[in-house]
Amino acid sequence: MITSVFRKSSPFNYTIVIFLTLAFFLLVQFKQGIWHNSSLNIGTSIGIIVLVFASLFIINFIVKKNGLTKSSSFSILFFTLFLLFFPAIFTNFKFIISNFFVLLAMRRLISLQTLKAPKEKIFDASLWIFIASLFHFWAILYIVLVYISIFFHVSRDYRNWLIPFVSLFVTAVIYTFIALVVERQFIDNLTNLPVVNLRMDYFKNTNENLALSMYAVVAVFFVFSKMIALTNRPLVLQASYKKVIIAFIIGVVIFLISTDKSNDLLIFTFFPLSVMATNNIEYSKNKINQELVLGVTIVLVFVSFFLQL
């Protein structure tokens, strides 16, 4: 029954997703007393929800424009559900904005399959990734996906391999200008070299550990089901699906090596996992399996959310 509602793309479905996101966002905010604090915190909270809604819009655009999913609303539904796995994300402006710029980069990289204006797309994607790294340094690892995309589609033109360096230069110029005009501390931040931290002892309580375990089970199921079915997908889309899988792997690596480790870092895996989860539902011919997969995911999400609230 649930799958039949979101099988089509309609304003009603978008309304449900937006209402669901806003309701749980406000629940987190009021639970933590954000709205009783300074106007700066309130402004940050408003910025967070605006970025979340913008992320939903970009995700919907990417999957529809590039044919990654059928005409359904499952992708934005799953993205919202994965956000609810870790409610603390709704208070982490830095990770949300970094992921937002990564989504902008993914939009350009996946559309590279059309071979229209490849140089502009490579430049834009690289620029968004470097900007994302200003908010969380290890987002810079997505530059690997830029070169993988070049290899898949436009590797013969050597100039394409040099374009990311142009984007890096532009980002550095913009960053330096802002640092000099706005705040000197931005330059000082460059002297703090990133550190790799592989320790997994960051949990504040067992509920966070349990939430991570449940998310890991869901992620492993959708990733393996996608990898197994990859060869059965249309040949024209296989490169795009490979980029989605690689984007998920990069997101996991970012989580594993980041110094300021928390479950919130898994936000970088939400978009690619949403695509894979949607494909699992859409291409399954057994309606009972469809309902079961979505139903179990929803149950795990709500259990995880309220345990951590």
Side-chain angles (χ1 to χ4, degrees):
M1 180 178 178
I2 304 177
T3 56
S4 61
V5 174
F6 290 93
R7 192 171 299 282
K8 297 181 180 180
S9 181
S10 68
F12 176 71
N13 294 345
Y14 298 141
T15 302
I16 293 176
V17 173
I18 290 174
F19 176 79
L20 180 70
T21 305
L22 183 59
F24 283 96
F25 168 79
L26 292 175
L27 184 59
V28 172
Q29 300 298 311
F30 282 112
K31 182 69 175 180
Q32 298 194 6
I34 301 295
W35 297 95
H36 299 293
N37 294 329
S38 67
S39 58
L40 178 61
N41 289 336
I42 296 176
T44 301
S45 297
I46 294 174
I48 287 174
I49 193 60
V50 169
L51 284 171
V52 169
F53 286 150
S55 298
L56 290 173
F57 173 80
I58 294 173
I59 290 169
N60 190 62
F61 178 85
I62 294 173
V63 298
K64 296 293 193 300
K65 186 72 173 180
N66 298 283
L68 294 179
T69 65
K70 298 178 181 179
S71 298
S72 69
S73 306
F74 287 121
S75 55
I76 58 174
L77 172 64
F78 275 112
F79 185 82
T80 299
L81 291 175
F82 295 150
L83 283 174
L84 298 183
F85 253 116
F86 312 107
I89 289 178
F90 284 124
T91 62
N92 199 321
F93 179 80
K94 185 176 67 171
F95 291 163
I96 288 178
I97 192 171
S98 182
N99 183 69
F100 174 75
F101 286 119
V102 170
L103 288 175
L104 291 176
M106 290 295 298
R107 182 180 74 89
R108 300 299 272 171
L109 291 177
I110 293 178
S111 66
L112 195 60
Q113 65 179 347
T114 64
L115 301 181
K116 295 181 180 179
K119 290 179 173 57
E120 288 84 349
K121 292 178 180 178
I122 294 170
F123 175 83
D124 291 347
S126 302
L127 183 66
W128 293 133
I129 289 170
F130 289 129
I131 292 177
S133 69
L134 297 179
F135 296 93
H136 183 68
F137 175 79
W138 287 116
I140 200 171
L141 292 180
Y142 280 100
I143 204 67
V144 173
L145 190 59
V146 173
Y147 282 106
I148 290 174
S149 300
I150 294 173
F151 176 77
F152 280 164
H153 304 293
V154 287
S155 60
R156 294 184 178 181
D157 189 341
Y158 75 93
R159 291 172 296 182
N160 293 328
W161 297 91
L162 302 177
I163 292 175
F165 292 98
V166 179
S167 297
L168 177 61
F169 175 76
V170 172
T171 306
V173 170
I174 296 174
Y175 183 88
T176 303
F177 175 78
I178 294 175
L180 293 175
V181 174
V182 180
E183 179 58 62
R184 176 77 183 182
Q185 184 180 356
F186 283 104
I187 293 181
D188 296 334
N189 290 338
L190 293 179
T191 62
N192 299 324
L193 297 177
V195 178
V196 174
N197 177 18
L198 298 176
R199 298 181 63 179
M200 296 292 292
D201 55 354
Y202 64 90
F203 300 108
K204 298 177 182 177
N205 51 61
T206 56
N207 291 336
E208 288 188 359
N209 195 344
L210 182 60
L212 176 62
S213 300
M214 290 189 289
Y215 179 76
V217 171
V218 171
V220 168
F221 172 77
F222 286 131
V223 171
F224 274 93
S225 65
K226 183 63 184 177
M227 294 177 69
I228 293 173
L230 183 61
T231 55
N232 297 326
R233 300 294 176 258
L235 187 62
V236 69
L237 291 176
Q238 287 190 19
S240 295
Y241 286 137
K242 289 177 182 178
K243 283 184 278 188
V244 167
I245 295 173
I246 294 170
F248 175 82
I249 295 173
I250 293 174
V252 173
V253 172
I254 291 174
F255 166 73
L256 292 175
I257 69 175
S258 293
T259 304
D260 49 344
K261 194 181 273 57
S262 70
N263 288 344
D264 302 356
L265 277 166
L266 289 167
I267 190 174
F268 293 105
T269 67
F270 290 173
F271 164 66
L273 193 62
S274 298
V275 175
M276 290 184 275
T278 300
N279 290 159
N280 181 278
I281 297 290
E282 289 181 337
Y283 286 98
S284 176
K285 297 180 180 180
N286 190 318
K287 292 185 178 180
I288 296 178
N289 287 344
Q290 295 174 3
E291 295 285 350
L292 184 62
V293 169
L294 182 56
V296 170
T297 303
I298 292 175
V299 170
L300 292 177
V301 164
F302 283 118
V303 170
S304 174
F305 180 87
F306 286 106
L307 281 177
Q308 297 173 87
L309 191 62

